[in-house]
């Protein structure tokens, strides 16, 4: 299928992209890797009159440390996140999630910023970035604001990004020593998108006692959902296999997933407990492959 006709404008700076967004309002959409927007346009689910291409904007690509955060430029492609030594060392759960997205072509074109801005309920990065307590830096003509993940993903395909804002970077707090991160996903066999997934950040004392846990699950709602009952069941506990299994069994508490042709709601609620357990075990080094 062909998209409706549209005008193409290449922005050369964030300021120019913001100016163009303000000028064209709801008629315009930002273009990053195009791997979600162009398919939506072909299906006529989106018909923007103008595409503002961010591809030539300098300074939005790459992974670096800034203070106590790992900073990922919005235009960084999934392949570069998956291959980053820094991400592997500090945030292995994020490297894992990026490496599991789609296929090699999707990972070479799709961007971190595009993925979180699109907020597909079956996407990988929103889940792990919620677990990692990431923040999203949004720029407009009024300046910058930073939104934490818990307040960023609002609904199906809806985020806190306003129509006149560009997402410029994603900031992920560096986990303290003794912390572990992991991601585990049951992929749809055809598309690779999430059926269910779990992202985990766990801090432990040298004694093995859990001092804090953030667990996010995907596939059970419009956005990543914090598995708060699982988090509470881990808090303060010595992380034995038994404690982890009992905590993970609570991962779907409070969720109300839809039935899909490929997975019933009951199945998703059950299988997410398995993936939560695997991700927790992997985050603390109890399991090598999730
Ligand atoms: C065959 C296929 C399989 C896939 N499998 C998976 C998968 O398994 N897991 C998964 O998570 N994803 C998957 N994806 C989606 C892929 O990860 C996309 O790359 C990603 O969702 C969107 O990134 P993009 O750079 O292509 O964004 P685009 O398609 O260019 O943009 C998406 C949306 O984000 C907005 N946007 C982009 N950048 C910015 C910005 N900097 N600031 C504000 N708004 C912005 C755009 O205006 C648009 O609304 C798949 C895609 C395809 C085609």
């Amino acid at each position: 299928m062909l998209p409706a006709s549209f005008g193409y404008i290449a922005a050369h700076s964030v300021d120019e992209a913001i100016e163009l967004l303000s000028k064209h309002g709801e008629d315009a959409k930002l273009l990053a890797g195009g791997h979600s927007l162009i398919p939506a346009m072909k299906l006529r689910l989106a018909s923007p009159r103008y595409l503002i291409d961010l591809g030539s904007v300098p300074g939005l690509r790459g992974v670096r440390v800034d203070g106590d955060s790992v900073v990922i430029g919005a235009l960084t492609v999934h392949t570069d996140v998956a291959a980053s030594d820094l991400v592997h060392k500090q945030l292995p759960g994020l490297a894992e999630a990026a490496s599991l997205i789609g296929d090699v072509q999707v990972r070479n074109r799709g961007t971190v910023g595009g993925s979180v801005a699109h907020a597909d309920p079956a996407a990988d990065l929103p889940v792990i970035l919620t677990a990692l307590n990431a923040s999203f830096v949004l720029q407009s003509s009024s300046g910058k604001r930073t939104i934490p993940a818990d307040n960023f993903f609002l609904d199906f395909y809806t985020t806190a990004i306003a129509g006149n804002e560009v997402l410029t970077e994603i900031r992920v707090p560096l986990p303290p020593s003794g912390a572990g991160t992991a991601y585990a996903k049951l992929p749809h066999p055809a598309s690779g998108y999430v059926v269910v997934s779990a992202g985990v950040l766990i801090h432990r004392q040298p004694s093995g006692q859990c001092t804090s846990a953030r667990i996010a699950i995907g596939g059970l709602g419009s956005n990543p959902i914090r598995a708060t009952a699982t988090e509470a069941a881990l808090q303060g506990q010595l992380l034995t296999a038994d404690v982890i299994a009992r905590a993970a069994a609570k991962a779907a508490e409070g969720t109300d997933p839809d039935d899909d042709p490929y997975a019933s709601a009951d199945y998703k609620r059950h299988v997410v407990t398995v993936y939560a357990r695997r991700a927790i075990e992997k985050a603390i080094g109890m399991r090598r492959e999730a």
Side-chain angles (χ1 to χ4, degrees):
M1 280 177 77
L2 296 173
S5 66
F6 59 88
Y8 171 90
I9 315 168
H12 297 93
S13 67
V14 173
D15 285 342
E16 188 185 357
I18 291 168
E19 214 177 288
L20 288 163
L21 279 177
S22 303
K23 180 173 169 197
H24 295 293
E26 292 195 346
D27 287 340
K29 277 247 171 230
L30 296 172
L31 176 70
H35 269 51
S36 290
L37 181 54
I38 302 297
M41 289 170 63
K42 287 182 171 179
L43 293 168
R44 306 285 173 116
L45 297 171
S47 300
R49 291 184 60 199
Y50 299 98
L51 286 186
I52 303 166
D53 190 355
L54 295 172
S56 308
V57 174
L60 294 183
R61 219 173 281 259
V63 183
R64 64 191 163 87
V65 171
D66 179 26
D68 57 4
S69 297
V70 173
V71 179
I72 304 165
L75 278 191
T76 309
V77 295
H78 308 315
T79 297
D80 289 349
V81 174
S84 160
D85 287 341
L86 173 62
V87 177
H88 268 278
K89 186 157 175 264
Q90 298 292 348
L91 303 163
L94 177 59
E96 172 102 42
S99 75
L100 295 175
I101 291 174
D103 54 36
V104 72
Q105 288 157 308
V106 173
R107 293 193 293 275
N108 281 342
R109 289 293 302 173
T111 66
V112 179
S115 175
V116 297
H118 190 59
D120 189 317
D124 292 280
L125 296 184
V127 178
I128 185 67
L129 289 170
T130 298
L132 296 176
N133 201 14
S135 302
F136 302 91
V137 180
L138 307 177
Q139 192 170 328
S140 71
S141 53
S142 324
K144 290 185 183 179
R145 61 189 186 119
T146 303
I147 312 280
D150 286 340
N151 300 332
F152 181 80
F153 299 105
L154 300 181
D155 205 342
F156 291 100
Y157 303 101
T158 308
T159 69
I161 305 176
N164 62 345
E165 288 179 317
V166 176
L167 170 65
T168 55
E169 61 188 32
I170 295 95
R171 302 182 73 89
V172 188
L174 278 166
S177 70
T181 72
Y183 182 74
K185 137 172 159 175
L186 173 64
H188 186 286
S191 67
Y193 275 104
V194 165
V195 176
V196 301
S197 72
V200 169
L201 167 66
I202 291 190
H203 296 188
R204 279 189 306 165
Q205 288 177 339
S207 62
Q209 200 178 26
C210 172
T211 48
S212 74
R214 278 181 70 98
I215 321 274
I217 55 173
L220 273 73
S222 57
N223 295 118
I225 296 172
R226 291 273 301 281
T228 49
T230 302
E231 293 174 356
L234 295 171
Q235 178 79 35
Q237 301 298 312
L238 202 58
L239 295 182
T240 62
D242 203 37
V243 164
I244 292 170
R246 273 189 276 119
K250 298 171 184 281
E253 269 187 28
T255 65
D256 185 19
D258 291 330
D259 288 315
D260 283 314
Y262 52 85
S264 69
D266 282 347
Y267 174 72
K268 288 188 221 175
R269 285 170 59 85
H270 167 69
V271 84
V272 78
T273 67
V274 176
Y275 282 80
R277 177 175 53 75
R278 291 180 184 177
I280 296 165
E281 289 172 350
K282 192 166 187 193
I284 64 167
M286 205 180 256
R287 155 190 291 267
R288 289 206 62 76
E289 293 306 319

